[in-house]
Amino acid sequence: MQIQEVFDLVKDDMINVEEVFKKNLSSSVPLVSKVGEYILNSGGKRFRPLLLLLCARLCNYNGESHVPLAGVMEFIHTATLLHDDVVDSANMRRGNAAANTVWGDGASILVGDFLLSKAFTMAVTYGNDRVLNVLSHSTTRMAEGEMLQLVKHSDIGMSEEDYFEVVANKTAVLFSSSSQVAAILGEVELEQEVALANYGMRIGTAYQLMDDCLDYVSTDNALGKAVGNDLREGKVTLPLIHAFKSANETDRSVLKAAIEADEFDESKLKEVLGIIERCGGIEYAIEYAGKLVEEAKKDLELFDPVVERAALEAVADYVIERSF
Amino acid sequence: MQIQEVFDLVKDDMINVEEVFKKNLSSSVPLVSKVGEYILNSGGKRFRPLLLLLCARLCNYNGESHVPLAGVMEFIHTATLLHDDVVDSANMRRGNAAANTVWGDGASILVGDFLLSKAFTMAVTYGNDRVLNVLSHSTTRMAEGEMLQLVKHSDIGMSEEDYFEVVANKTAVLFSSSSQVAAILGEVELEQEVALANYGMRIGTAYQLMDDCLDYVSTDNALGKAVGNDLREGKVTLPLIHAFKSANETDRSVLKAAIEADEFDESKLKEVLGIIERCGGIEYAIEYAGKLVEEAKKDLELFDPVVERAALEAVADYVIERSF
């Protein structure tokens, strides 16, 4: 199944999710709605809502709460984008000026808080205690993941273990929550709920691994921001960690100097890319992601081979096939 | 009753609230706990927990949830302090370096997110749907209040109406939630719940009015930051709004220039203070606060004249008597 067919499968629900966005962005302060609309309409793939909607159908959920809860996932995601761009002093997001570039850090911080609070308001209305528990633990872990990333900023000695903790928390946990919340709605057996939570965790991790690879090997246009951005921001990711582990002394000192530089030397980008390539840093990360995707597909084996299961398998494949 | 006697009344509960803080600040990322402890132990008055604990007793609540929920209120409050100091580029908070000055904006934003998420986790565990509803609406309104303040930054034409909307949302709503949540726990009649919510709203508003007055007329030492800070940050508050409305043309242009200046001219502070004094801006705001406090005490008349009611009356008086 192609990813477009997957989206077609939940087209009607997704239209309703977009309505949920609109409705919940309304505010007595017009700038809140404006910044919120800007970031929500900046080309996001709606990956987390897609997961929730597909999993809800896979779990034979027949109610109406999956639509607002899919909206909750995107609101939480969007809130963290706004905050992360301030934390990273990012200028660009998906080919457009980042919200903090347009309206300043203050507006991005506060609209992020607004979206997170709205997400909880919606979750209180449409979720139950278990859903709320999953969500509040997720947002806690997301903040911790971002903090660990901040602490490990410019640290070439960052371990694979720390890297995977950052990835699990800052990215994968919200994928995992999206599929788990659907399982809770569908009231499936605990074993199936755990399987879906694991599925989300694995494809979320693979998603971030690919993001981190694409940051090195994509093009500026496809990324919507400059290639080598993680390096420039002092973010140590798996391709670099692997390269540093296997490089010779000379290359290691080049990598160390590049990540530790206060002001990144653009002329060094090619050299760093060359070292990562020689050490197979990208292949290593992609292979890792590939294994996760295979395991994620195995998680689905507890479910009947219905069209939604095929769709979720296609989503898993897409995560590592996408080029942006 | 003196404010110290009021605090003594709930001393044991308050010790348990501090334990709740400690327990919920633990994190796999040590810097999260460190920044959290720093801001939580920076001399806050624990006013919102105090309100919740007193109101819970007034409402004859006999359970255990009032302690963690009092902790929730302080966590939410503390999260907004961290974010607001970044939004305002503040250097000082209660006589100490602001967290963003010590650890940077990124850490303050992310630990704020952590505290807010932890607050919701605690609220999900110890609250019910109505409590969660009140809390999530409060945090939404708090973000909107801060955004309106940001939009009205350096705007000498800010109306009293806008000012009171900012104050209601950014400050009073969390006071109101603190007393209302206690009423929900105590399962009192709706009329009493509304009265306590109103009580909190009025003293919260009076509290912010006094804050805004003290910013002009206190001393640097008592404030723990420089006098005239709001003016320096471009924040238009009631003393200034009132002065601008009643000043003559010459004075109005001085006020306008002072608030609109990109870089505040310190030599103008005395002149601005003189104009505010001549126009009775401080008296106007204090008188307003005094009326709110009297109304707040009337809200309590639906309750028997027990010691907790006397304590809440003392809290109301303290709000306008305090000098820092």
Side-chain angles (χ1 to χ4, degrees), chain B residues 24-46:
Chain B
N24 285 282
L25 278 179
S26 81
S27 166
S28 60
V29 184
L31 187 58
V32 169
S33 314
K34 196 168 176 175
V35 177
E37 279 163 22
Y38 180 84
I39 178 91
L40 264 159
N41 296 322
S42 68
K45 292 183 272 299
R46 312 292 191 230

Side-chain angles (χ1 to χ4, degrees), chain B residues 130 180 187-196 302:
Chain B
R130 292 214 47 230
Q180 189 180 1
E187 296 178 355
V188 294
E189 299 285 327
L190 188 60
E191 203 188 358
Q192 288 186 314
E193 179 185 324
V194 170
L196 281 190
L302 282 179

Side-chain angles (χ1 to χ4, degrees), chain B residues 253-282:
Chain B
S253 55
V254 172
L255 297 180
K256 189 169 187 294
I259 199 80
E260 287 179 355
D262 286 335
E263 193 78 42
F264 182 67
D265 181 352
E266 292 295 332
S267 69
K268 295 281 179 195
L269 182 59
K270 267 205 164 158
E271 198 178 349
V272 170
L273 281 172
I275 298 170
I276 290 177
E277 205 173 302
R278 274 205 300 285
C279 299
I282 303 292

